Amino acid sequence: MAATIRRRLQRGAASTAVAALVLAALTASQAPGAAEAAAARKQKPAPPADTPIDGGSTYFTDRPPLHRPAPPRDTHGRGQGTPLGTGPAEAGLPATVLAAYKKAASAVGASDPGCRLPWQLLAGIGKVESGQARGGAVDAEGTTLQPILGPQLNGHGFARITDTDGGRYDGDLTHDRAVGPMQFIPSTWSNGGLGGTGWGADGNGDGKKDPNNVFDAALAAGRYLCAGGRDLSDQDDLDRAILGYNNSEDYLRTVLSWYTFYRHGTHEVPDGRGVLPVHRGDAGTSGGDRTGRTGSAHHDHASGAPGRNPGKDGSGTGKPGKGRPNQPGKPGGSGTGDTPGGTGTPKPQPTPEKPAPESPTGPARLTALERVGDKDLSATAGTEFAASPRVRAKDAAGKAVAGAPVRFALPASTGARFPGDATTVTVTTDKDGLATAPRLRAGDKAGAFTIRATAVGRTAPAVAFGVTVKAKPAPKADKLARTSDKELTATAGQAFAEDAVEIEATYQGKIAAGAAVTATMVTDDPKKPVENDKGPYFKDPEATGDDKDEPVRTLTGLTTDADGLLKLPKIYTDMHAGTFLLRLTTADGAVLTVKLKVAAPAGS
């Protein structure tokens, strides 16, 4: 017992020293007058309570090594350079992840220079939340190779947050999960996908806001940390920003320890070669595995159901950190009740429970996925598939495995999508070991592709489903008719009135929407009319230069609108007078002949 107490005392002292070092480093880096500027920023009104990024659940608790890396030889501004080379393994940051942190800090520095966001703070949070995206397991664009998901926020050990994004980000259609390298919950990233403004950001300029992309997630995290006019060179604002991510004193000390460690020097390592953390807080059900995936359960603070914080300092009950009541910009206000900013007596919180030992048929025993139902799937373009991909998870003995996450993925190049316009979804197997993907909708383009089902975090072989999207049958039209009986006339060398010819298409007496129609200026040969080489004509709308006035006497690709109507483009005339014929046809045999009368110019 004495040894245990001593270790705790030493750890507390080390944490205090870390906080002091961070404050000293930040104070030393300030330019003359920075203290006055910081004080001025503090006079700003406190921002409204915001949704925290981290709901205060489990996170990686690994600490930096005792021996810090040597200071970098090449520094850039405030001594925050990152030399290439070697050093302690824990000081190595994956190249793409490191680039994302620096790019985010630079962008925030340009838009909010008073915040003084150091990229090492993003690195400290990224280490604690996801182990730097599982050691840099990202593609060249910065998107994680596999989803990094927290546990299902179903109220069992964590907050209860029912699905807010239709499974678009977390692949879960019943409850939310934390997503990506910086562990955003969908409701925080995009305000529930209901059209509101969330913290989601486009950090790599590809036009998308993807929490699974480290560039996007790092920029969003940086903006969150700087919210409310914070100056992160001020210790109180720094603490407040970190506690806004996870309202736990132990979390604060862990992030600060990594932040300080990284400020003393880092080096770049190849993607996928970063050190993976292994230790987590023991609150709730982590939902993680030993591959380095974080088990953080982040939730919307407004739900009123905070997660359980790890640690043994009294902050593990969902209450905010000690000694920081009523801090502006910190979600939860005084933390003395369920209402943010309340002053009542704290309500008792349940004691964190360790997860029960995994059963012999639990997710860790999964060795194989087995296809269930149809091997191949097909649908017509623009419609839903009648059946969904389905697999059964099994262990080595052939028994069903319940509670195992299975990821269904389809190529982004296809037009097919799961609900929420998602190309990947993660489904947990039921008590019978079955995982069924949500309903899949075919795109508008015909073709074939493959859907792959993989066991998340396991090495079981993937299961492939062949998928075929058939082209839509062309709409039919067996009758064409003019919508007006007005005689069509023009003078030679001039044009007919705009939209002079409008027709209606029907099929078996019903409106024929989308029916293809061909328009041709033809001769008056009753036996075999052919394209006329004189008289009325169209112009090619896509032609340029000298070709834009060239006569076009046959138009294809014309289609009727939703009401079965078609207005022909403007019709021009040459210098020939007389009665000419316009012939309109469909593939189903409908024919309509329209007379066009061209009068000779006056005085000719």
Side-chain angles (χ1 to χ4, degrees), residues 203-418:
N204 61 354
D206 64 355
K208 297 183 293 184
K209 298 178 180 180
D210 183 3
N212 296 294
N213 182 280
V214 69
F215 287 94
D216 294 357
L219 179 58
R223 290 175 176 172
Y224 178 88
L225 293 167
C226 289
R230 294 191 184 110
D231 178 356
L232 299 182
S233 66
D234 177 90
Q235 187 66 45
D236 287 338
D237 276 3
L238 177 65
D239 289 356
R240 187 179 297 116
I242 297 172
L243 287 169
Y245 222 104
N246 184 310
N247 207 356
S248 161
E249 292 286 341
D250 191 64
Y251 180 89
L252 172 64
R253 287 192 294 269
T254 305
V255 170
L256 285 175
S257 69
W258 283 107
Y259 170 46
T260 305
F261 179 76
Y262 290 140
R263 280 181 61 84
H264 279 79
T266 61
H267 59 272
E268 182 182 300
V269 297
D271 290 343
R273 301 292 294 274
V275 174
L276 297 177
V278 294
H279 300 102
R280 293 190 185 86
D282 58 2
T285 304
S286 74
D289 55 35
R290 292 179 178 84
T291 64
R293 185 178 69 220
T294 180
S296 297
H298 304 146
H299 67 86
D300 190 331
H301 185 78
S303 70
R308 301 168 181 170
N309 291 332
K312 300 179 176 63
D313 60 354
S315 63
T317 60
K319 298 182 292 184
K322 300 177 181 179
R324 290 181 172 84
N326 297 316
Q327 289 189 1
K330 174 181 167 184
S334 66
T336 55
D338 284 347
T339 303
T343 58
T345 303
K347 294 184 178 181
Q349 301 290 332
T351 302
E353 297 178 0
K354 292 185 179 181
E358 194 174 60
S359 66
T361 57
R365 309 299 297 176
L366 189 156
T367 59
L369 293 178
E370 176 184 79
R371 182 187 295 108
V372 177
D374 297 335
K375 177 180 179 181
D376 298 318
L377 307 171
S378 64
T380 301
T383 66
E384 287 190 345
F385 285 80
S388 295
R390 197 180 197 191
V391 296
R392 176 177 279 109
K394 290 185 175 183
D395 61 14
K399 295 181 179 180
V401 177
V406 176
R407 180 175 183 252
F408 294 90
L410 51 89
S413 58
T414 72
R417 291 294 185 269
F418 292 114

Side-chain angles (χ1 to χ4, degrees), residues 407-451:
R407 180 175 183 252
F408 294 90
L410 51 89
S413 58
T414 72
R417 291 294 185 269
F418 292 114
D421 201 32
T423 57
T424 62
V425 293
T426 301
V427 179
T428 302
T429 56
D430 61 17
K431 61 183 180 63
D432 298 317
L434 293 174
T436 304
R439 189 58 60 91
L440 180 67
R441 184 173 183 82
D444 294 330
K445 185 169 58 176
F449 58 92
T450 300
I451 295 178

Side-chain angles (χ1 to χ4, degrees), residues 114-133:
C115 176
R116 298 177 175 84
L117 171 68
W119 66 259
Q120 289 91 339
L121 178 58
L122 295 174
I125 291 175
K127 178 70 172 182
V128 171
E129 293 292 339
S130 68
Q132 311 299 16

